[in-house]
Structure formats: structure tokens, C-alpha cells
Amino acid sequence: MDREAVPGAPPAAGEAAGEDAGQEAGGDARRRIARTDALLAEPRLALAAGRLGRGIVKAAIGAAQRRARSGEIPPDAVADAAVAALPPTASGLRPVINATGVLLHTNLGRAPLSDAARDAAAMASGPTDVELDLETGRRARRGRSVLDALLERVPKAEAAHVVNNGAAVLVLAATALARDREIVISRGEMVEIGDGFRIPELLAATGARLREVGTTNRTTPADYAEAIGDETGFILKVHPSNFRVTGFTRGADVSELAGLGVPVVADIGSGLLAPEPLLPDEPDAASMLKAGAGLVTASGDKLLGGPQCGIALGREDLVRRLARHPIARALRVGKTTLAALEATLRGPATPTALALHADPEALRGRAERLAARLRDAGVDARPVASEAAVGGGGAPGVVLPSAAVSLPEPYAARLRLGAPAVMGRVDGGRCLLDLRAVPPGDDDEIVRAVRLVR
Ligand SMILES: *Cc1c(COP(=O)(O)O)cnc(C)c1O
């Protein structure tokens, strides 16, 4: 074991060389490997220790020393190797270029934040007036300006509330509006949102009872009307955001249910605030409220293109019941999220919106130029047509024409392990780097990453 990992242990003589080193490398070479304390004093590594913490820098030094002991690198390359192995931040998370062609890739953290949202989040990481009125010096409503921004973007909504994620808004709505009562829901909308989480189970866990109506493929307004009674908390419409049922189908629209005398809660998932012409089947908050929904629930990090959060928009009385419920405190969202969400709402087009609206011709041009640059570097690269998708966030079945750089398949794994990591997709025995979700400013990074692992 690495003795350096023992907290407070005094450095042992010759610790950097390790006990087994002589078996792999010559004793002389072994003695020339710099000691840990000397390396920690090396200017670049000392600076890094201030930025990343000593533990992370020592781990990089230890790994470089082991590589030198095994003869993989020369003893005088240890400092350089340690510097090269330093992570970009003190977090274990690594930046990844999303070349999968899936705009909202759940495993890559869904929507990437805009620069405006990143700046706002960075600002809000320090002390900020999130819950303070600077004019009076008194406490103020938490996150009031982000709620204002939501209402400006969706004038039909009387009030708004923000929690940790889309599932949390559903939990809060079910708890505040239907605990010990019934949620009327179509059997065609009992969906799993991924990773084994099922909306019906989530709702039932709150103590609300589910009143299932209709069938998988057909549910009529009459089915809902029959199920409504004194026990009804609300009708829930869930957008089947990750699949489509086609053929002999019938669903009830919010407008057909709004007159039944109980609130209609519309879980749209995607977070589109207004209709998106490119995605005509994707529901949006404004249209749902116009159709008569009392409450719309959505995620912040899907098509809205913001930070992970859950948004409730709608009638003042319903939103107030959510916001005032004791459980709301347990779902409270952080200040950096509030700041990023507001900047997403007020700021320039998000990376997600830009990727959705990217011109296929422009993508093709980028793919051609990238492939040419990589061929100049001796890589078997060619531009190919590709198909991208919105992803876990919505619009199932919608194909977004795209372009990709096609590389030999072994690049897929090598690029994943590069710095920055590039995540492509393997298709037909080739590694495709689809450019639709890659901001044009990252093209140089891709060239650099590919050349490094060539
Ligand atoms: C994504 C989604 C959810 C869950 O939202 P999270 O932000 O992932 O918690 C709930 N309902 C629908 C329809 C969704 O698409």
C-alpha cells in the first residue's frame, strides 16, 4: 500500500522509490526518481496543490512515480507526468464533449448550461442576496427574481415555484393536492422515466391513491368524467416523453378535461415554455395553461436548456399550496441553481436551443473541415451524414438531420479516456463524432483530442 496515503505519517526515507521498485527498474534509475516532498515543492505542482488540494496532487505524483519505477517513463519525467495527470478541477467529474448526437444525454448530465448561466452560477456560489432585500436589509422571498423571470416568459401563469427536479414537483403536487385522495390518470400514461423510476410508483409513495382510467392505447374524456368524485385530488396528464404509441389510439386533451371541475395537472417533462415549431408534438407550458391546465410541471434541464430543477407554473392557489407545504422545504433548490435558471430564462439562446436549430448544411461543412484537418494529421477520418435526436428529454421519434466525422472504431474508447473526453457513438463498425450537440467552438478541441490519441 501507498504509505503516503496514511494521514499524518512522517515521510519515510526513500519513500518515493517504494520497496519493490528495484525489481522493475535499475537501482540507479530508482534513486533518481524525485521524492514526493521535493515534487510537491515544484512550482507547477505547488500551485496545483493550492488550487486542487494536496491530496489530489499527491495522488498524481504517486501515480507518476510508480510509472517511473516500472520503467514506463524516465525518472526525470515524473514532474511533467504528474502535471499532465492533474484533473481539471478538484471534482472527480470530467468534462466531456458530447458527440453522441443525443442533445439531452442523461448520462452526460442532460442540458449543458449557457455561458450566461455558468457565469450566474459562479457569481451565486459566493454570498448573494438570494433571500435578502438589499434596500431594506431585511429577509426577502427566496429566488423572487427567477420566479418573475418565469412569469415574464409564461404570462398565462399566475404563479411559479421551483424545486430540485421534475420528479420532485410531481411528488410535491401529489402530496400537497392529493394526499389521501385520488389522482386520476390514464393507463396510457403510467410511464417509467428511466433507470427504473416509474411515475405511478413515485406518486403512490406520497400517500396519494392512483385512479387508473382507460387502456394503454385509448382513454376518452368520458373515462375521466366517470372516475371523478369527492375523492379526486386532481387529474394528471403525463407526457409520454420517451416513447410513442401509434395506430388505434385516443387520448384526452387537457382542453377536454379542464371543464370537469377538478384541477388538471399537466406534466410536460421537457420544459418548453412556448410552442417549438421544430417539435410540433412536444407540449409546452403556455399552450397547456391556455388549454385549461391548473398546473404545469416540467424539468429545467431538458429542452428548457437550464440547470437540473423542477418547475411548477399555473394557478396562484395551486402553486401556493405547493410552495407552502412542509415538504417544499425538503425539495428547496440551491442558490446556484436559481441563478443559472434565471440566466437561462433571461439570457441568450441556450446551447440546447442552438443545437436543436443548427443548420444541417453548416454541420456538414464543419464535418468536412474537421475530417480534412484530421486526415492532414494522418487519421482515417471522413465526413458522413448522421441522424441526431433530442434524447431522454423528449420528442421521441424525431430525427434531426446531422453530420458526423467517421473514425476507425478503436477511437471510440480512446477518445472517451482522453482529456477532454470525447463521447461519440459506434455505428456500423465506425466511431461517429456527431456534431449537432457540439458547440462550433469545440471543433478545435476535437482535433486536439483525436490527434492526442492517434
Ligand atoms: C423527465 C420527466 C420527468 C422527471 O423529471 P426529472 O427532472 O428527470 O426529475 C417527469 N415526467 C416527465 C414527463 C418527464 O419527461
Side-chain angles (χ1 to χ4, degrees):
M1 278 310 295
D2 187 356
R3 273 168 297 164
E4 293 155 34
V6 180
E15 70 169 354
E19 281 152 18
D20 54 355
Q23 289 155 12
E24 288 122 330
D28 277 353
R30 182 179 50 149
R31 268 191 296 281
R32 279 169 41 226
I33 298 172
R35 294 165 48 111
T36 302
D37 45 5
L39 287 162
L40 277 168
E42 201 267 356
R44 290 170 301 168
L45 293 167
L47 205 67
R51 193 168 58 83
L52 302 171
R54 262 172 85 86
I56 288 173
V57 176
K58 280 178 88 169
I61 289 173
Q65 287 167 331
R66 280 190 294 279
R67 288 174 67 194
R69 266 177 240 143
S70 68
E72 191 191 325
I73 56 173
D76 57 6
V78 170
D80 285 346
V83 169
L86 289 171
T89 71
S91 153
L93 297 179
R94 295 287 179 269
V96 180
I97 292 180
N98 176 10
T100 59
V102 179
L103 271 49
L104 299 165
H105 199 297
T106 301
N107 304 151
L108 297 178
R110 290 200 189 144
L113 294 184
S114 64
D115 288 346
R118 291 176 199 224
D119 288 350
M123 173 278 296
S125 354
T128 177
D129 61 344
V130 64
E131 231 175 279
L132 181 80
D133 181 341
L134 287 170
E135 268 179 33
T136 63
R138 284 180 219 278
R139 183 182 188 145
R141 192 165 51 113
R142 185 179 173 87
R144 58 215 172 281
S145 58
V146 70
L147 300 179
D148 291 345
L150 276 167
L151 300 184
E152 282 164 36
R153 291 283 303 271
V154 188
K156 266 257 163 224
E158 296 167 4
H161 184 65
V162 180
V163 294
N164 263 326
N165 54 47
V169 206
L170 283 176
V171 163
L172 187 55
T175 309
L177 308 178
R179 199 190 142 92
D180 297 326
R181 293 158 65 79
E182 289 181 353
I183 297 173
V184 180
I185 182 172
S186 162
R187 291 195 172 86
E189 298 177 10
M190 311 274 284
V191 304
E192 175 171 320
I193 50 184
D195 201 24
F197 287 102
R198 296 174 170 171
I199 286 183
E201 290 171 4
L202 194 77
L203 297 171
T206 68
R209 292 189 302 278
L210 293 189
R211 180 74 182 263
E212 302 171 23
V213 298
T215 62
T216 306
N217 57 331
R218 287 176 73 85
T219 306
T220 65
D223 292 327
Y224 286 93
E226 258 168 52
I228 284 169
D230 293 345
E231 292 290 288
T232 308
F234 59 85
I235 292 173
L236 180 63
K237 286 286 297 169
V238 180
H239 177 56
S241 53
N242 49 13
F243 70 102
R244 260 201 330 213
V245 180
T246 57
F248 183 56
T249 63
R250 166 79 158 103
D253 289 338
V254 168
S255 59
E256 297 175 290
L257 306 175
L260 296 178
V262 295
V264 177
V265 175
D267 175 22
I268 60 170
S270 78
L272 277 184
L273 299 179
E276 166 54 65
L278 279 181
L279 307 171
D281 294 333
E282 206 52 27
D284 65 280
S287 305
M288 287 293 135
L289 293 171
K290 196 164 150 218
L295 202 65
V296 171
T297 69
S299 296
D301 56 352
K302 294 183 179 173
L303 286 167
L304 182 60
Q308 179 194 301
C309 62
I311 296 167
L313 287 161
R315 262 165 50 187
E316 166 95 54
D317 60 324
L318 298 177
V319 172
R320 194 176 330 116
R321 281 167 70 188
L322 263 59
R324 298 263 170 92
H325 194 281
I327 289 289
R329 180 62 182 78
L331 308 175
R332 189 173 85 170
V333 74
K335 59 187 176 169
T336 52
T337 301
L338 289 170
L341 176 59
E342 183 169 354
T344 300
L345 293 165
R346 296 192 192 277
T350 64
T352 301
L354 293 173
L356 181 65
H357 290 272
D359 171 22
E361 272 307 300
L363 294 173
R364 206 166 62 112
R366 283 172 60 196
E368 280 166 5
R369 285 190 296 278
L370 270 178
R373 287 170 72 185
L374 292 172
R375 276 197 306 276
D376 284 349
V379 179
D380 165 22
R382 38 184 203 256
V384 294
S386 176
E387 290 185 345
V390 170
V398 172
V399 172
L400 303 168
S402 188
V405 177
S406 165
L407 301 169
E409 183 176 336
Y411 275 93
R414 284 188 243 152
L415 284 169
R416 240 176 20 241
L417 295 171
V422 179
M423 183 74 190
R425 97 175 167 260
V426 172
D427 192 346
R430 298 283 290 183
C431 165
L432 299 190
L433 304 182
D434 188 304
L435 297 178
R436 190 175 266 273
V438 179
D442 281 357
D443 286 0
D444 289 346
E445 284 279 277
I446 288 188
V447 172
R448 219 165 49 87
V450 174
R451 294 177 64 152
L452 275 175
V453 300
R454 184 179 36 171

